[in-house]
Each structure stands twice: as structure tokens, then as C-alpha cells.
Amino acid sequence: MRNPAGVRGARTALAILAVVLGGYAEWAAHDLREPLLWIPDLLVGLAFFGAAMARLGRDRPVAILAALTAGAWFAGTLLPVAAQWHRGPLIHLLVCSPGWRPRTRLGMVAVAGGYVSAAVPGVWASETAAIVLGGLFLAVLAAERSGRAVRPGWDGAGRLVPGIGWVSVVVGGAAARLALPSDAVDTATSLAYAVVLCAVAGAVARGRRLPARAVADLVVELGESRSGTLRDALARLLGDPDLRVGHWVREAGRYVDADGAEVPADGSGSRVATAIDRDGTPFAVILHDRSALADPGVMDAVAAATRLTAAHAALQAEVRAQLAELAASRRRLVVAGDEERQRLERRLHEGSRRRLARLRDDLGPAPARAGDRSHLSRAAAQLDRTLEQLDDLARGLHPRELAGGLADGVAALVERSAVPVRSVVLAERFAPPVELAAYYVCAEALANVAKHAAATAVTIEVVRKGDLLVVIVTDDGRGGAAPARGSGLRGLTDRLEALGGRLSVVAAPGTGSGTRIAAELPLGGDNPTGRPTGRGVAG
């Protein structure tokens, strides 16, 4: 019942019924000059009517059961045969709140037994039967409490404590009447019973409302967490482990959950389907226990959370897609640059260098003629230097040594190194971007050794670790290398990250302990995330 006008009208009707029925029952059954008899009796009935009015609009089943308890209480005041009738709906309320249906078969037996024992005259009037029935009811209540998740209504410990109080006064009163039968004991136990029932009605009226703020906190939690789903979080928050969330698939014309299973839009049995729209079109449906979303405020908050979480998930997916595209773009740029340098190197080798080489050959065997021919010798020497520079330039653009594989490329670097190098390199072939990146790591490391390290020995290791190619270059120089201070290492870092790898440098300056450069590359050079895939080997 979510219509505010309807709720107000129902509350007014209940208030009138409580005053009329309660006043008539006490006037007809008691001497009004004996307030200890009729005031506690009246307060119990009014308390349960008040609880019913308080729960209207939030938990209709609780409100109806509380009203039935109040009506049966006043019926027992008027009719001695109905003295125990109130225990039927009261047990139903304590076992099933905030819904109608018991959660287990044991609960169903308890509810049915409560109504039967309340309807059969004399059952609860027997002290022994009252003790046995009270103990059984308490056991059922405890089993129900431990066997199900806590729901957002008056439930869990909130239901167990009033139930314990009610059973205690029933069993305690029966035991006291058995041990000390007297009018004084009867009066005292009746007063205690009335007080406890009023306390139970107060607990029912107060309930345990789930604040809408808790749902907002849930959205924040989901936004900060990388695990968990809206369905799991709502099920935990609302205490409904069977809750399902389905999103509208326009092409299929139905709601489906995260596993692709259809979520019925009309509910079934005790499960209620609450539809959520967005901008007037179907968006999602929540299949839940009938009482899980009885509070309109909580329902509105859950609907807003569902829309916001979906929007957040869509935004995250878009960001991930953009990051993946950026990483792929970086890799394409690296590969395209390498290919363009390789084409330029080929053009230099097949064009300008070949023509210069021919000219050098023509100048070399030129016969000595009369006069000074020293300018020819100088021209030949100049051509030799030019050819060497072209070779260096071409090698920088794209190393021709890699045509035979990474092992050949590293061997050529070792041969040209001014510092002794010990190398251990796999003879396998890898994807061209991987081989080229590994080659540049070795080349840059050796160049830094020659320029800055003052080292006497260098070691190069190229090994395979799982799906990673690991390149480690160590020297015994003065240390001090850092990617942030050199464009070469910084460029290597960018190249490796574009291929999904990473570069790490350990080089404590001034320690004389040397430098250790370690590079990791995913084999194949195809990592769409653009993030490192290994745990690192430098250290």
C-alpha cells in the first residue's frame, strides 16, 4: 500500500476500530472501577492496533497480522472461549515477519500449530501444555533466525528478542502457577503477560527500517570495488539470498540476468517482480521476496541505485574500451615506426649506399697518371667514411642483423662493443616487434656502458619465463642510470609499455655496484591492455 491517501485512510479506520472495539470490550467485560483489570487489557489491544497503523505503507503483512492480533485480543476479552485466539496471529507474526509465508517447513508447522492450539479451547490453559508449546516455539524461532539471512524488516535479532520475552512470560507464568497456585500469582503473571505483549507490539511498530542512505552507500561501495555485483550487494543488503536482477534486452524483448537467464517480469509464488524504468522505457526488474522492498523509500533508493550502477558500469566499460584502444594505438604506432625505419634502411642500402659503393669501386683501381693524384685518395677515404656513417645510420633505423634472429643481432652488438661482453641468448625466433625491442634494450644498455659506466665487464641474458621474454643486462660500472634522466631509457620504457611489457633499472649512483637493466616482453607482443603482465625480475 503505497498510496499516501490510502494509508492515511486505513490508519484512520484502524484508529476508530481500536477505540470502538477496545472501549466496548472493556466496558462489557470488566468493572471499570477495577483499573488493574481493564487498563492493562486495553493497552495490549491498543498497542497492537498502533503497531498495525505504524507498519501500514511499509509492511502490509505485518500490519495485517498485528491488527488481527489486536482484534483477537479484544475478542478474548469479550468471549472466554476466545481467550487464546490472539496467540495464532501472534505466533504467525513472530515467525514470518515481515512477510506472510514461513521461510522453512518447520516454520509452516509452527504457524499451523499456533493457529490450531489457539483455536482449540483449553490447550494453552494447561500449564504443562503451555510450557511444552512455548519451548517448541522458541526452538522454531531460533532455527528460523539462524537458517535465513536477516531481512530489512522487523527480523533477525529484532524478532528473536520479543519472541524470547513472550515465551519466557508464558513458560514462567505457567511454571509459577504450577508451583504456587494462588490469585496473587495469577494477577502477577497476567500483568507481566500484558507488559510483555505491549513490548512486543512496540517492537513490531518500530521494526528495523532499512535507511535509504544504506542503498546510497551500497552504490559508493560498488563504485570503489572491483569485485561483486549489484545483485549480490542488494541480496546481502536486503537479506534476500534468492533476489535476482534482470536488465532489459531490447532485441530479445525480455529481462535477463548476468548469466543470460530470463528473469520473469510478473513474479511467481511468494516472489514479486518490481520493474524499474528509465526515461519511460523498460530498464530492469528485481525479483524479490514480497516483503523485501515493502518500504517505498527503500524501493525508490534501490531503483535509483540500479540505474546509477548500470550507468557507472557502462562508463567503466567505455573507459576500458578507450584504454584498450589507446594501448592498441600505441602499439600500432611503434610497429608502424619500425616498419617505416626498415623501409628507409632498405632504401638507403639499395639506393644511396649502393651508388656510393660503385663510385668507391670506380675510384679504387684508377691507374696512376701523370701529376698529383692525391685528391683521388682523399676522395676514396672520404667515401669510406661516408659509407660507414650510412651503415651506422641504417643500423640505427633498423638493424639488419635481426634478419637472422635476435641471437644474431645481439652477437653483432657484442662484436662491436668496446667493453667485454658475455652473452647468453636464446636461439628461438620471436615476433618482429619483440625481437626489435629486445635488441634495442641490449643496444641502449651497451651504449650507456660505453659512454657513462666505466665498466670492465657486461653480461647479457635473454631467457624465456613462461609467456614472457626477459632481457637482463648487468655491468660492473659506477651505476647511476635512470629512465627519467635519459631519453634513450625513457624511449625504451615507452616502447616496451606499448607492447605490454616493462623496463626496470637498478643502478645505485656512486656505489660502484654497477647497473642492472631488466626488460619483460609478452611473447608475440600482443597485449591489448597495454599493461605489464609479469611481476618483475629486477631487484
Side-chain angles (χ1 to χ4, degrees), residues 204-462:
V204 173
R206 181 177 180 274
R208 187 175 66 83
R209 294 190 65 182
L210 179 69
R213 184 178 61 186
V215 183
D217 294 341
L218 168 70
V219 177
V220 175
E221 174 189 342
L222 287 174
E224 295 176 347
S225 174
R226 296 190 179 187
S227 61
T229 64
L230 175 67
R231 192 225 76 86
D232 296 336
L234 284 178
R236 183 178 68 252
L237 186 68
L238 299 176
D240 185 359
D242 299 324
L243 180 141
R244 297 178 64 191
V245 176
H247 286 87
W248 178 253
V249 179
R250 185 174 56 183
E251 294 78 6
R254 58 180 182 171
Y255 296 97
V256 297
D257 60 16
D259 297 326
E262 183 176 0
V263 178
D266 53 357
S268 60
S270 63
R271 313 299 293 174
V272 176
T274 299
I276 298 172
D277 61 11
R278 184 167 65 179
D279 300 330
T281 60
F283 177 68
V285 66
I286 301 177
L287 192 66
H288 56 88
D289 184 86
R290 192 172 297 275
S291 60
L293 294 176
D295 190 330
V298 173
M299 182 60 244
D300 293 341
V302 167
T306 303
R307 298 187 190 99
L308 185 58
T309 304
H312 177 71
L315 181 60
Q316 283 187 325
E318 182 179 353
V319 170
R320 286 194 296 269
Q322 291 178 350
L323 287 175
E325 176 58 29
L326 177 61
S329 176
R330 289 179 64 188
R331 184 179 183 281
R332 287 194 297 270
L333 286 174
V334 169
V335 173
D338 292 340
E339 292 175 349
E340 185 61 31
R341 282 191 290 271
Q342 187 175 11
R343 283 193 292 270
L344 182 56
E345 183 272 337
R346 190 179 300 114
R347 289 177 61 187
L348 283 173
H349 181 76
E350 296 176 355
S352 301
R353 189 188 185 286
R354 182 172 295 177
R355 287 192 293 272
L356 288 173
R358 266 185 208 154
L359 179 59
R360 173 67 182 82
D361 293 340
D362 291 341
L363 290 173
R369 294 187 177 91
D372 185 11
R373 300 298 185 186
S374 61
H375 64 284
L376 293 177
S377 299
R378 288 195 300 272
Q382 190 71 18
L383 280 173
D384 288 339
R385 286 193 294 271
T386 302
L387 288 171
E388 290 177 2
Q389 290 174 357
L390 278 175
D391 287 340
D392 290 339
L393 176 60
R395 191 179 299 111
L397 290 173
H398 188 84
R400 296 189 63 82
E401 297 94 338
L402 281 180
L406 181 59
D408 290 351
V410 174
L413 291 174
V414 171
E415 185 178 350
R416 292 194 298 269
S417 174
V419 180
V421 180
R422 184 181 69 86
S423 63
V424 179
V425 183
L426 288 173
E428 296 181 46
R429 294 304 304 265
F430 305 101
V434 174
E435 290 188 341
L436 188 58
Y439 175 89
Y440 280 140
V441 169
C442 297
E444 182 63 26
L446 290 178
N448 285 339
V449 168
K451 294 178 184 177
H452 312 295
T456 60
V458 180
T459 300
I460 296 177
E461 295 178 82
V462 180

Side-chain angles (χ1 to χ4, degrees), residues 13-339:
L14 280 177
I16 294 173
L17 179 62
V19 171
V20 172
L21 183 57
Y24 175 75
E26 302 307 327
W27 173 80
H30 295 107
D31 185 351
L32 298 184
R33 291 173 296 183
E34 297 180 5
L36 286 179
L37 293 178
W38 66 269
I39 289 181
D41 192 86
L42 177 64
L43 289 178
V44 171
L46 293 180
F48 275 98
F49 270 124
M53 289 186 285
R55 297 307 290 268
L56 275 174
R58 287 194 282 153
D59 299 313
R60 186 169 60 178
V62 173
I64 293 176
L65 288 174
L68 288 176
T69 303
W73 177 264
F74 284 134
T77 302
L78 287 170
L79 304 171
V81 71
Q84 306 300 330
W85 284 4
H86 69 279
R87 299 193 179 190
L90 177 62
I91 290 175
H92 192 170
L93 177 64
L94 291 172
V95 171
C96 300
S97 176
W100 291 107
R101 297 168 60 87
R103 297 172 180 81
T104 64
R105 292 182 180 178
L106 187 61
M108 295 178 66
V109 172
V111 171
Y115 280 110
V116 171
S117 61
V120 176
V123 173
W124 285 96
S126 168
E127 315 301 353
T128 303
I131 293 174
V132 173
L133 290 174
L136 291 175
F137 167 73
L138 185 60
V140 170
L141 196 61
E144 285 279 292
R145 165 68 179 93
S146 61
R148 296 289 287 188
V150 177
R151 293 181 183 273
W154 175 59
D155 186 79
R159 183 181 71 223
L160 189 58
V161 171
I164 290 175
W166 180 75
V167 170
S168 298
V169 74
V170 169
V171 174
R177 286 190 293 272
L178 280 176
L180 300 170
S182 65
D183 292 340
V185 172
D186 289 343
T187 302
T189 55
S190 296
L191 286 174
Y193 188 68
V195 170
V196 169
L197 284 181
C198 288
V200 171
V204 173
R206 181 177 180 274
R208 187 175 66 83
R209 294 190 65 182
L210 179 69
R213 184 178 61 186
V215 183
D217 294 341
L218 168 70
V219 177
V220 175
E221 174 189 342
L222 287 174
E224 295 176 347
S225 174
R226 296 190 179 187
S227 61
T229 64
L230 175 67
R231 192 225 76 86
D232 296 336
L234 284 178
R236 183 178 68 252
L237 186 68
L238 299 176
D240 185 359
D242 299 324
L243 180 141
R244 297 178 64 191
V245 176
H247 286 87
W248 178 253
V249 179
R250 185 174 56 183
E251 294 78 6
R254 58 180 182 171
Y255 296 97
V256 297
D257 60 16
D259 297 326
E262 183 176 0
V263 178
D266 53 357
S268 60
S270 63
R271 313 299 293 174
V272 176
T274 299
I276 298 172
D277 61 11
R278 184 167 65 179
D279 300 330
T281 60
F283 177 68
V285 66
I286 301 177
L287 192 66
H288 56 88
D289 184 86
R290 192 172 297 275
S291 60
L293 294 176
D295 190 330
V298 173
M299 182 60 244
D300 293 341
V302 167
T306 303
R307 298 187 190 99
L308 185 58
T309 304
H312 177 71
L315 181 60
Q316 283 187 325
E318 182 179 353
V319 170
R320 286 194 296 269
Q322 291 178 350
L323 287 175
E325 176 58 29
L326 177 61
S329 176
R330 289 179 64 188
R331 184 179 183 281
R332 287 194 297 270
L333 286 174
V334 169
V335 173
D338 292 340
E339 292 175 349

